């Protein structure tokens, strides 16, 4: 049987396609390819629409960027004039406070040359509420106590007055977000700043189109080598897009959107526009709830000077912070910031931005950062700025104060503010030590105003003057104790037919039936009875019972009306009001004592002098509203008696501190169980109120005379407060009185005292010791005919 051989597969028929050929020729593939092309077309079209919309969005949003410009709050400017009582060292201190830089040359605005008996100063230009003042170079001659001459540098012309630029003390920024900034223009910025920023943050800034491929590859390589993320690839443009328009969400979608928007933005704006926006928007630190935005404000916040005065080491530090303001906080992590700052300086030297000599000088500089709050921090003078915010809140809309860049010129005197802070900060520990209290037990607050005009010069809300928390100067409401008594006495002295300074008051027990059925039985502080006492002595010695007897005779309603006229309308209509059962803040007490100090003229205490737009256009001038609230005669008599409080009464300790021969007036205040220690008083130009107590309202063991008085007297000495001019008004006459009888005295009396009286109320009878009282009618006839 023949073996059959299998048929050979042989070559394929030429007309029959292979499976691969069949696949590529299949209708399925054609439909698949058509679908892919369609999908790509739709995707490209959709992406194009997205790009167009995103492009339009980027253009419109960037063009519509409206910087949040909080209102800037300025202190009163230091005015220089011949005769001003500021010595050479104090003037240097004020220049340092303003951020002026000492040196051997006047290198530009904000510099000065110290010398023997004089200072050469290059002042800054500044737009005040009443006009612009140009920068100028001056020579100021002074001794240890006052300015002796003021002239332009190189000239013999004498100048009458020059104002230095005022200190930026804070901002009124939005409660939400809390952003604060000072806008800058790129041409006004030191060229070294943008150069260094580009060098450190985005080396390819001027080469890329919003996204840097080289930067991405460089960052990937660095991160791979390190095994973790050590370098980012975001350009300055991308960072700006994120800060302005996007969140901090770490997602691929957000990063892609950021990159696209960066590329689109650079199609429409120049590199300089991007850089200027970045300089104003970048976050550079936190000041409590306030975000420090932009290099303009950061310069004030960290160095207390304008941006255009920064030196290379300061520019390097600000650029170093950009990496992470939380981690690179120069006040919390100075060593870490110093290391990175020096790294930036090294990059600047390597690139040729600074010379080797400049590098050597810069790298040996300290950080130069001030204490928390800096020069432009809202927490530099938080209690005062808080008062400004409250006084201006009702005058402008919140968005105007937090968005429009208004400039608020205030009455704050940095010198007086510093003195008040030092006194409270130094004297409270001394008082605690004297009473063997744990450190930090006592709290204090104070307010200083001018006599003329009622301008608030200083406010301290607690012993930690930088703490922007509870403001005891405004929000503390504590019984004022005997601070109330002068207003009882003013009320009495308005009735000259019944009361004069020499009128005898009865310091005997009092028992008053109250409307609630209870009995009120006040006591003297020393638990003693003093019998009949002259009215002025009852105030000088702060006798409670004599005051209550007189108050009841006057009527609660009459005394309450006096408080209202002086500036406090919330006094309770109860007899205990006579002894200070009235809750006030130190600011309230300063208001009513300012009325006494001004001779009975009341003006609401002011912190604001003027407000201008960001362009310097004046909006409002805050002239004081003067009202003749209390008659000058009774006020003068009360002031005379309040001087006796210091001369021989409860505040006589102050004589050991105050300059001899000067007249000051004031009153101690002590509350039940020695919980509150008060002193309020004034000289010829200053009113000051001091409160010392505990936040938990427990006893302090301090009277007004052993606590607050010590702070007050030293403060008045430190300020050089003028004494009171005791020239009486026309309604007052002077008479010599024999103290024992209260009658007229002459040369025949061993003791006599000049005393003021309202016209027609002086004694008409002579004391028994007086020669006039011993004369007979014959003696008078002899004198007449002789």
């Amino acid at each position: 049987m023949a073996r059959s051989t299998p048929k050979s597969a042989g070559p394929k028929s030429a007309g029959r396609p292979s499976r691969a050929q069949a696949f590529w020729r299949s209708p399925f593939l054609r439909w698949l390819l058509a679908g892919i092309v369609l999908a790509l077309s739709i995707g490209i079209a959709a992406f194009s629409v997205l790009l167009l919309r995103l492009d339009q969005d980027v253009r419109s949003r960037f063009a519509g960027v409206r910087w949040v410009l909080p209102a800037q709050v300025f202190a009163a400017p230091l005015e220089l004039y011949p005769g001003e009582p500021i010595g050479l060292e104090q003037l240097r201190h004020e220049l340092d406070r303003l951020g002026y830089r000492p040196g051997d040359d006047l290198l530009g605005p904000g510099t000065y040359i110290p010398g023997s008996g004089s200072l050469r100063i290059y002042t800054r230009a500044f737009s005040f509420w009443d006009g612009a003042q140009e920068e100028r170079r001056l020579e100021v001659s002074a001794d240890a106590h006052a300015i002796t001459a003021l002239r332009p540098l190189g000239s013999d012309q004498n100048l009458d007055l020059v104002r230095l630029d005022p200190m930026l003390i804070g901002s009124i920024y939005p409660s939400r977000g809390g952003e604060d900034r000072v806008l800058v223009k790129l041409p006004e910025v030191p060229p070294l700043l943008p150069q260094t920023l580009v060098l450190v943050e985005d080396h390819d800034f001027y080469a890329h189109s919003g996204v840097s491929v080289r930067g991405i590859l460089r960052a990937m390589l660095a991160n791979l080598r390190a095994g973790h993320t050590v370098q980012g690839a975001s350009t300055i443009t991308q960072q700006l897009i994120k800060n302005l328009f996007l969140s901090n969400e770490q997602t691929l979608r957000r990063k892609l959107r950021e990159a696209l928007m960066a590329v689109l933005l650079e199609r429409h704006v120049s590199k300089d526009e991007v850089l200027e926006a970045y300089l104003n928007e970048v976050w550079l630190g936190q000041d409590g709830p306030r975000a420090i935005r932009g290099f303009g404000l950061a310069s004030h916040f960290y160095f207390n000077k304008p941006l255009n005065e920064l030196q290379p080491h300061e520019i390097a530090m600000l650029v170093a912070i950009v990496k992470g303001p939380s981690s690179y906080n120069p006040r919390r992590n100075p060593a870490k910031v110093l290391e990175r700052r020096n790294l930036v300086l090294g990059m600047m030297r390597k690139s040729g931005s600074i010379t080797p000599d400049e590098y050597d000088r810069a790298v040996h500089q300290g950080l130069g950062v001030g204490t928390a709050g800096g020069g432009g921090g809202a927490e530099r003078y938080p209690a005062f700025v808080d008062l400004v915010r409250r006084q201006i809140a009702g005058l402008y809309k919140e968005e105007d104060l937090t968005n429009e860049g208004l400039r608020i010129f205030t009455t704050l005197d940095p010198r007086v503010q510093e003195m008040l802070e030092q006194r409270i900060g130094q004297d409270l520990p001394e008082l605690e030590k004297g009473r063997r209290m744990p450190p930090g037990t006592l709290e204090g607050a104070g307010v200083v105003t001018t006599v003329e005009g009622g301008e608030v010069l200083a406010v301290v809300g607690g012993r930690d003057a930088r703490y922007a928390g509870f403001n005891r100067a405004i929000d503390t409401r504590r019984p004022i104790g005997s601070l109330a008594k002068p207003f009882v006495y003013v009320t009495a002295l308005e009735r000259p037919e019944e009361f004069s300074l020499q009128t005898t008051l009865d310091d005997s027990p009092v028992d008053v039936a109250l409307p609630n059925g209870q009995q009120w039985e006040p006591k003297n502080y020393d638990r003693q009875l003093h019998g009949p006492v002259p009215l002025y002595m009852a105030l000088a010695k702060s006798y409670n019972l004599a005051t209550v007897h007189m108050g009841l005779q006057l009527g609660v309603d009459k005394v309450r009306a006096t408080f209202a006229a002086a500036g406090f309308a919330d006094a309770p209509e109860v007899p205990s009001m006579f002894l200070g059962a009235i809750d006030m803040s130190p600011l309230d007490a300063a208001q009513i004592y300012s009325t006494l100090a001004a001779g009975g003229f009341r003006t609401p205490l002011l912190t604001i002098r003027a407000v201008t737009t960001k362009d310097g256009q004046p909006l409002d001038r805050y002239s004081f509203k003067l009202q003749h609230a209390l008659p000058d005669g009774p006020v003068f008599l009360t002031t005379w008696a309040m001087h006796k409080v210091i001369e021989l009464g409860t505040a006589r300790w102050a004589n050991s501190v105050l300059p001899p021969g000067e007249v000051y007036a004031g009153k101690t205040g002590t509350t039940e169980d020695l919980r509150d220690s008060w002193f309020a008083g004034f000289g010829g130009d200053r009113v000051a109120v001091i409160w010392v107590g505990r936040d938990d309202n427990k006893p302090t063991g301090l009277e007004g005379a052993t606590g607050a008085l010590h702070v007050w007297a030293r403060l008045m000495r430190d300020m050089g407060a003028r004494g009171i001019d005791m020239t009486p008004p026309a309604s007052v006459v002077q008479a010599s009185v024999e103290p024992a009888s209260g009658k007229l005295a002459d040369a025949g009396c061993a003791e006599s005292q000049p005393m003021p009286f309202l016209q027609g109320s002086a004694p008409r009878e002579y004391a028994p010791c007086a020669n006039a009282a011993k004369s007979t009618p014959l003696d008078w006839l002899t004198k007449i005919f002789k």
Side-chain angles (χ1 to χ4, degrees):
M1 183 174 175
R3 177 182 289 179
S4 61
T5 57
K7 293 180 179 180
S8 172
K12 290 183 180 180
S13 172
R16 185 180 178 183
S18 67
R19 289 183 179 180
Q21 289 173 328
F23 173 76
W24 287 109
R25 295 175 183 178
S26 68
F28 172 77
L29 180 60
R30 290 197 297 270
W31 281 104
L32 179 62
L33 291 176
I36 292 174
V37 171
L38 179 62
L40 286 174
S41 299
I42 293 174
I44 292 171
F47 185 66
S48 299
V49 171
L50 174 64
L51 281 181
L52 287 172
R53 289 181 176 176
L54 200 57
D55 184 67
Q56 184 179 10
D57 185 41
V58 167
R59 280 187 294 158
S60 61
R61 291 174 71 177
F62 190 80
V65 166
R66 189 167 177 270
W67 304 108
V68 173
L69 293 179
Q72 295 179 312
V73 184
F74 293 92
L78 176 61
E79 297 183 336
L80 306 179
Y81 55 88
E84 182 189 11
I86 179 171
L88 200 62
E89 286 305 310
Q90 178 65 35
L91 179 55
R92 283 197 63 177
H93 178 67
E94 294 305 311
L95 291 172
D96 293 340
R97 195 207 303 273
L98 287 172
Y100 278 64
R101 188 174 73 256
D104 297 327
D105 296 296
L106 295 180
L107 300 177
T111 59
Y112 72 93
I113 303 173
S116 177
S118 69
L119 292 176
R120 295 183 175 187
I121 307 172
Y122 201 145
T123 69
R124 299 179 180 126
F126 193 84
S127 293
F128 291 94
W129 60 89
D130 55 357
Q133 180 174 281
E134 296 181 351
E135 61 189 51
R136 61 197 312 176
R137 295 188 296 173
L138 305 171
E139 182 169 14
V140 182
S141 300
D143 55 26
H145 306 290
I147 293 176
T148 56
L150 184 67
R151 61 179 64 91
L153 192 59
S155 170
D156 293 331
Q157 175 191 358
N158 289 317
L159 298 174
D160 296 327
L161 177 70
V162 172
R163 285 186 294 197
L164 297 181
D165 51 299
M167 182 190 304
L168 178 63
I169 61 172
S171 304
I172 299 178
Y173 48 86
S175 55
R176 285 190 176 185
E179 292 185 2
D180 193 5
R181 61 171 51 78
V182 174
L183 277 187
V184 297
K185 298 290 186 182
L186 192 59
E188 301 168 358
V189 172
L192 187 59
L193 173 58
Q195 290 173 14
T196 306
L197 186 64
V198 168
L199 176 69
V200 175
E201 288 296 312
D202 188 358
H203 190 72
D204 300 324
F205 177 70
Y206 287 102
H208 64 64
S209 299
V211 175
S212 174
V213 176
R214 290 174 58 187
I216 293 172
L217 294 175
R218 188 168 53 244
M220 288 175 60
L221 184 60
N223 295 338
L224 285 172
R225 286 174 176 171
H228 60 279
T229 302
V230 295
Q231 190 176 117
S234 291
T235 64
I236 284 176
T237 315
Q238 287 177 267
Q239 293 180 47
L240 176 64
I241 288 291
K242 184 186 71 172
N243 288 338
L244 285 176
F245 308 130
L246 303 177
S247 68
N248 289 322
E249 181 185 15
Q250 294 297 320
T251 64
L252 180 60
R253 181 176 181 273
R254 200 273 296 162
K255 292 293 291 182
L256 289 173
R257 187 177 179 86
E258 173 190 294
L260 284 173
M261 293 177 74
V263 172
L264 292 171
L265 178 63
E266 289 214 2
R267 290 181 66 246
H268 301 292
V269 302
S270 68
K271 291 287 187 180
D272 283 352
E273 288 176 292
V274 171
L275 200 53
E276 181 174 283
Y278 186 86
L279 290 171
N280 285 306
E281 180 61 26
V282 64
W283 177 51
L284 288 169
Q286 200 71 26
D287 181 22
R290 180 180 72 144
I292 306 300
R293 289 284 182 183
F295 285 88
L297 180 62
S299 180
H300 284 280
F301 180 66
Y302 291 114
F303 303 118
N304 191 26
K305 65 175 71 172
L307 191 60
N308 60 3
E309 294 180 14
L310 294 188
Q311 301 301 298
H313 68 282
E314 296 165 331
I315 289 173
M317 195 204 83
L318 292 185
V319 173
I321 292 173
V322 173
K323 182 177 178 66
S326 297
S327 300
Y328 293 93
N329 184 324
R331 295 190 175 100
R332 294 180 183 174
N333 305 310
K336 185 176 182 180
V337 175
L338 185 64
E339 181 181 2
R340 178 160 174 79
R341 185 209 69 176
N342 290 345
L343 176 66
V344 173
L345 285 170
M347 295 174 67
M348 295 164 70
R349 178 189 60 179
K350 187 175 181 181
S351 70
S353 299
I354 58 175
T355 66
D357 288 343
E358 288 174 324
Y359 169 80
D360 290 337
R361 285 195 298 269
V363 81
H364 288 99
Q365 295 284 340
L367 290 179
V369 174
T371 57
E379 65 177 355
R380 180 162 186 143
Y381 303 121
F384 185 89
V385 174
D386 182 25
L387 180 57
V388 172
R389 184 181 290 108
R390 298 187 196 200
Q391 289 197 346
I392 204 168
L395 303 175
Y396 297 94
K397 297 177 182 178
E398 183 178 355
E399 55 266 31
D400 292 337
L401 291 173
T402 57
N403 292 333
E404 296 299 326
L406 299 182
R407 308 175 87 202
I408 302 170
F409 296 93
T410 74
T411 59
L412 181 128
D413 185 328
R415 287 180 290 173
V416 176
Q417 177 74 25
E418 182 180 47
M419 293 171 191
L420 178 58
E421 290 176 2
Q422 287 179 345
R423 286 273 57 91
I424 290 179
Q426 294 175 14
D427 292 347
L428 292 192
E430 181 182 307
L431 294 172
E432 288 169 342
K433 185 177 179 180
R435 292 295 186 278
R436 297 183 179 178
M437 298 178 185
T441 300
L442 292 177
E443 266 298 348
V447 177
V448 180
T449 74
T450 62
V451 170
E452 184 178 356
E455 293 186 339
V456 180
L457 302 178
V459 179
V460 169
R463 64 189 294 165
D464 182 359
R466 297 293 176 270
Y467 176 64
F470 182 62
N471 191 343
R472 296 167 188 82
I474 305 174
D475 295 322
T476 289
R477 292 289 188 276
R478 304 292 279 260
I480 62 171
S482 294
L483 256 61
K485 287 177 181 173
F487 300 91
V488 183
Y489 285 75
V490 167
T491 309
L493 293 168
E494 289 183 43
R495 294 155 65 163
E497 67 281 1
E498 299 177 59
F499 298 99
S500 72
L501 292 173
Q502 193 59 48
T503 299
T504 299
L505 301 182
D506 184 14
D507 191 63
S508 62
V510 179
D511 188 348
V512 181
L514 301 177
N516 61 6
Q518 295 181 340
Q519 296 296 118
W520 181 51
E521 299 181 34
K523 308 292 183 185
N524 279 327
Y525 176 75
D526 61 3
R527 303 293 173 176
Q528 302 294 316
L529 300 176
H530 305 97
V533 292
L535 181 147
Y536 79 90
M537 190 61 71
L539 179 59
K541 298 290 187 179
S542 201
Y543 293 153
N544 289 343
L545 298 178
T547 303
V548 171
H549 275 293
M550 184 175 66
L552 292 172
Q553 186 177 343
L554 297 169
V556 172
D557 58 332
K558 299 297 185 185
V559 176
R560 188 173 186 273
T562 298
F563 276 106
F568 187 78
D570 295 330
E573 203 165 342
V574 293
S576 57
M577 171 183 62
F578 304 144
L579 302 183
I582 307 171
D583 292 343
M584 289 190 189
S585 68
L587 184 69
D588 293 329
Q591 176 68 76
I592 60 175
Y593 270 77
S594 290
T595 303
L596 292 181
F601 287 88
R602 185 188 75 233
T603 181
L605 297 182
L606 295 175
T607 60
I608 303 164
R609 286 183 173 176
V611 179
T612 72
T613 66
K614 62 178 179 293
D615 300 319
Q617 296 302 311
L619 292 181
D620 290 294
R621 289 296 304 275
Y622 289 79
S623 56
F624 58 86
K625 301 174 182 177
L626 198 61
Q627 181 179 352
H628 198 174
L630 297 173
D632 56 0
V635 169
F636 180 85
L637 300 185
T638 303
T639 300
W640 187 92
M642 290 169 66
H643 170 58
K644 296 300 178 184
V645 173
I646 294 174
E647 184 181 45
L648 50 83
T650 56
R652 56 188 177 276
W653 178 89
N655 293 312
S656 65
V657 174
L658 296 173
E662 297 288 350
V663 175
Y664 301 93
K667 188 68 190 75
T668 51
T670 309
T671 61
E672 188 176 1
D673 297 328
L674 305 182
R675 298 177 190 274
D676 301 278
S677 172
W678 289 89
F679 196 86
F682 49 90
D685 58 347
R686 299 285 185 264
V687 180
V689 175
I690 303 294
W691 169 83
V692 176
R694 294 177 56 156
D695 284 342
D696 59 10
N697 201 30
K698 290 182 179 179
T700 63
L702 295 170
E703 307 161 19
T706 56
L709 173 65
H710 288 226
V711 182
W712 180 89
R714 290 166 176 158
L715 173 64
M716 296 293 277
R717 175 202 61 195
D718 294 349
M719 292 190 297
R722 293 199 316 264
I724 302 170
D725 178 4
M726 293 301 290
T727 302
S731 59
V732 173
V733 296
Q734 296 276 2
S736 184
V737 176
E738 196 263 327
S741 65
K743 296 180 180 180
L744 294 175
D746 61 18
C749 297
E751 294 186 15
S752 65
Q753 178 176 10
M755 186 173 292
F757 294 88
L758 290 184
Q759 290 277 6
S761 66
R764 297 185 179 181
E765 295 183 17
Y766 278 91
C769 60
N771 292 329
K774 300 171 185 176
S775 299
T776 65
L778 183 60
D779 295 328
W780 283 101
L781 286 172
T782 302
K783 290 179 180 179
I784 291 172
F785 288 105
K786 186 176 180 181

Short mmCIF file of all heavy atoms in Angstrom, two decimals, residues 627-648:
data_model
loop_
_atom_site.label_atom_id
_atom_site.label_comp_id
_atom_site.label_asym_id
_atom_site.label_seq_id
_atom_site.Cartn_x
_atom_site.Cartn_y
_atom_site.Cartn_z
N GLN A 627 -16.07 122.45 75.07
CA GLN A 627 -17.32 122.88 75.72
C GLN A 627 -17.02 123.30 77.15
O GLN A 627 -16.32 122.60 77.88
CB GLN A 627 -18.33 121.73 75.73
CG GLN A 627 -19.66 122.11 76.36
CD GLN A 627 -20.65 120.96 76.32
OE1 GLN A 627 -20.40 119.94 75.71
NE2 GLN A 627 -21.77 121.13 76.99
N HIS A 628 -17.55 124.47 77.52
CA HIS A 628 -17.36 124.95 78.89
C HIS A 628 -18.35 124.20 79.78
O HIS A 628 -19.49 124.59 79.94
CB HIS A 628 -17.59 126.45 78.97
CG HIS A 628 -17.01 127.08 80.20
ND1 HIS A 628 -16.99 128.43 80.42
CD2 HIS A 628 -16.40 126.53 81.29
CE1 HIS A 628 -16.43 128.69 81.58
NE2 HIS A 628 -16.05 127.55 82.12
N ALA A 629 -17.86 123.11 80.39
CA ALA A 629 -18.75 122.19 81.09
C ALA A 629 -18.90 122.50 82.57
O ALA A 629 -19.98 122.30 83.14
CB ALA A 629 -18.22 120.76 80.92
N LEU A 630 -17.84 122.98 83.21
CA LEU A 630 -17.86 123.28 84.64
C LEU A 630 -17.33 124.70 84.85
O LEU A 630 -16.41 125.13 84.15
CB LEU A 630 -16.99 122.29 85.42
CG LEU A 630 -17.42 120.81 85.38
CD1 LEU A 630 -16.37 119.94 86.06
CD2 LEU A 630 -18.78 120.63 86.05
N PRO A 631 -17.90 125.45 85.79
CA PRO A 631 -17.47 126.83 86.00
C PRO A 631 -16.02 126.91 86.46
O PRO A 631 -15.57 126.11 87.28
CB PRO A 631 -18.43 127.35 87.08
CG PRO A 631 -19.01 126.15 87.73
CD PRO A 631 -19.00 125.06 86.71
N ASP A 632 -15.28 127.87 85.91
CA ASP A 632 -13.85 127.94 86.16
C ASP A 632 -13.51 128.22 87.61
O ASP A 632 -12.51 127.71 88.13
CB ASP A 632 -13.19 128.96 85.24
CG ASP A 632 -13.82 130.35 85.36
OD1 ASP A 632 -14.77 130.53 86.16
OD2 ASP A 632 -13.36 131.26 84.64
N GLY A 633 -14.32 129.03 88.30
CA GLY A 633 -14.02 129.36 89.69
C GLY A 633 -14.01 128.14 90.60
O GLY A 633 -12.99 127.86 91.26
N PRO A 634 -15.11 127.39 90.68
CA PRO A 634 -15.11 126.18 91.52
C PRO A 634 -14.05 125.17 91.11
O PRO A 634 -13.47 124.50 91.96
CB PRO A 634 -16.53 125.62 91.31
CG PRO A 634 -17.35 126.82 90.99
CD PRO A 634 -16.45 127.70 90.18
N VAL A 635 -13.76 125.07 89.80
CA VAL A 635 -12.72 124.14 89.36
C VAL A 635 -11.36 124.60 89.86
O VAL A 635 -10.54 123.78 90.31
CB VAL A 635 -12.72 124.02 87.82
CG1 VAL A 635 -11.47 123.27 87.33
CG2 VAL A 635 -13.97 123.31 87.34
N PHE A 636 -11.09 125.89 89.81
CA PHE A 636 -9.83 126.41 90.32
C PHE A 636 -9.70 126.12 91.81
O PHE A 636 -8.62 125.69 92.27
CB PHE A 636 -9.73 127.91 90.08
CG PHE A 636 -8.45 128.53 90.57
CD1 PHE A 636 -7.31 128.52 89.79
CD2 PHE A 636 -8.38 129.10 91.84
CE1 PHE A 636 -6.11 129.07 90.26
CE2 PHE A 636 -7.20 129.65 92.31
CZ PHE A 636 -6.06 129.63 91.52
N LEU A 637 -10.75 126.34 92.57
CA LEU A 637 -10.70 126.08 94.02
C LEU A 637 -10.44 124.60 94.29
O LEU A 637 -9.68 124.24 95.19
CB LEU A 637 -12.00 126.52 94.68
CG LEU A 637 -12.41 127.99 94.56
CD1 LEU A 637 -13.67 128.27 95.37
CD2 LEU A 637 -11.28 128.90 95.01
N THR A 638 -11.09 123.73 93.51
CA THR A 638 -10.89 122.29 93.69
C THR A 638 -9.46 121.90 93.34
O THR A 638 -8.84 121.07 94.03
CB THR A 638 -11.89 121.50 92.83
OG1 THR A 638 -13.22 121.91 93.17
CG2 THR A 638 -11.76 120.01 93.06
N THR A 639 -8.94 122.50 92.28
CA THR A 639 -7.54 122.22 91.90
C THR A 639 -6.60 122.65 93.01
O THR A 639 -5.62 121.95 93.32
CB THR A 639 -7.20 122.95 90.59
OG1 THR A 639 -8.07 122.49 89.56
CG2 THR A 639 -5.76 122.72 90.18
N TRP A 640 -6.88 123.79 93.63
CA TRP A 640 -6.07 124.26 94.75
C TRP A 640 -6.08 123.23 95.88
O TRP A 640 -5.03 122.91 96.45
CB TRP A 640 -6.63 125.59 95.25
CG TRP A 640 -5.81 126.30 96.29
CD1 TRP A 640 -4.84 127.22 96.09
CD2 TRP A 640 -5.91 126.12 97.70
NE1 TRP A 640 -4.32 127.65 97.30
CE2 TRP A 640 -4.96 126.98 98.31
CE3 TRP A 640 -6.70 125.34 98.53
CZ2 TRP A 640 -4.79 127.08 99.68
CZ3 TRP A 640 -6.53 125.41 99.91
CH2 TRP A 640 -5.58 126.27 100.48
N ALA A 641 -7.26 122.69 96.16
CA ALA A 641 -7.37 121.69 97.22
C ALA A 641 -6.69 120.38 96.81
O ALA A 641 -6.09 119.69 97.65
CB ALA A 641 -8.84 121.44 97.55
N MET A 642 -6.74 120.04 95.52
CA MET A 642 -6.08 118.82 95.05
C MET A 642 -4.56 118.96 95.11
O MET A 642 -3.85 117.95 95.21
CB MET A 642 -6.55 118.49 93.63
CG MET A 642 -8.00 118.04 93.55
SD MET A 642 -8.62 117.96 91.85
CE MET A 642 -7.63 116.63 91.18
N HIS A 643 -4.07 120.19 95.01
CA HIS A 643 -2.64 120.38 95.22
C HIS A 643 -2.28 120.08 96.68
O HIS A 643 -1.20 119.54 96.98
CB HIS A 643 -2.23 121.80 94.86
CG HIS A 643 -0.82 122.13 95.28
ND1 HIS A 643 0.28 121.42 94.86
CD2 HIS A 643 -0.35 123.10 96.14
CE1 HIS A 643 1.37 121.93 95.40
NE2 HIS A 643 1.02 122.95 96.19
N LYS A 644 -3.21 120.41 97.58
CA LYS A 644 -2.97 120.10 99.00
C LYS A 644 -2.92 118.59 99.25
O LYS A 644 -2.28 118.13 100.19
CB LYS A 644 -4.06 120.74 99.87
CG LYS A 644 -4.07 122.27 99.82
CD LYS A 644 -2.75 122.84 100.32
CE LYS A 644 -2.74 124.36 100.23
NZ LYS A 644 -1.42 124.94 100.61
N VAL A 645 -3.61 117.81 98.39
CA VAL A 645 -3.52 116.35 98.48
C VAL A 645 -2.06 115.93 98.35
O VAL A 645 -1.59 115.03 99.06
CB VAL A 645 -4.37 115.68 97.37
CG1 VAL A 645 -4.14 114.17 97.34
CG2 VAL A 645 -5.84 115.99 97.56
N ILE A 646 -1.33 116.58 97.45
CA ILE A 646 0.08 116.26 97.23
C ILE A 646 0.98 116.97 98.24
O ILE A 646 1.96 116.40 98.74
CB ILE A 646 0.49 116.63 95.79
CG1 ILE A 646 -0.25 115.74 94.79
CG2 ILE A 646 2.00 116.52 95.59
CD1 ILE A 646 -0.03 116.11 93.34
N GLU A 647 0.63 118.19 98.59
CA GLU A 647 1.49 118.98 99.48
C GLU A 647 1.48 118.44 100.90
O GLU A 647 2.55 118.32 101.53
CB GLU A 647 1.03 120.44 99.48
CG GLU A 647 1.91 121.35 100.30
CD GLU A 647 1.40 122.78 100.28
OE1 GLU A 647 0.19 123.00 100.45
OE2 GLU A 647 2.24 123.69 100.10
N LEU A 648 0.31 118.08 101.42
CA LEU A 648 0.25 117.66 102.81
C LEU A 648 -0.75 116.53 103.08
O LEU A 648 -0.95 116.14 104.23
CB LEU A 648 -0.11 118.87 103.70
CG LEU A 648 -1.33 119.72 103.29
CD1 LEU A 648 -2.63 119.11 103.78
CD2 LEU A 648 -1.18 121.14 103.84
#
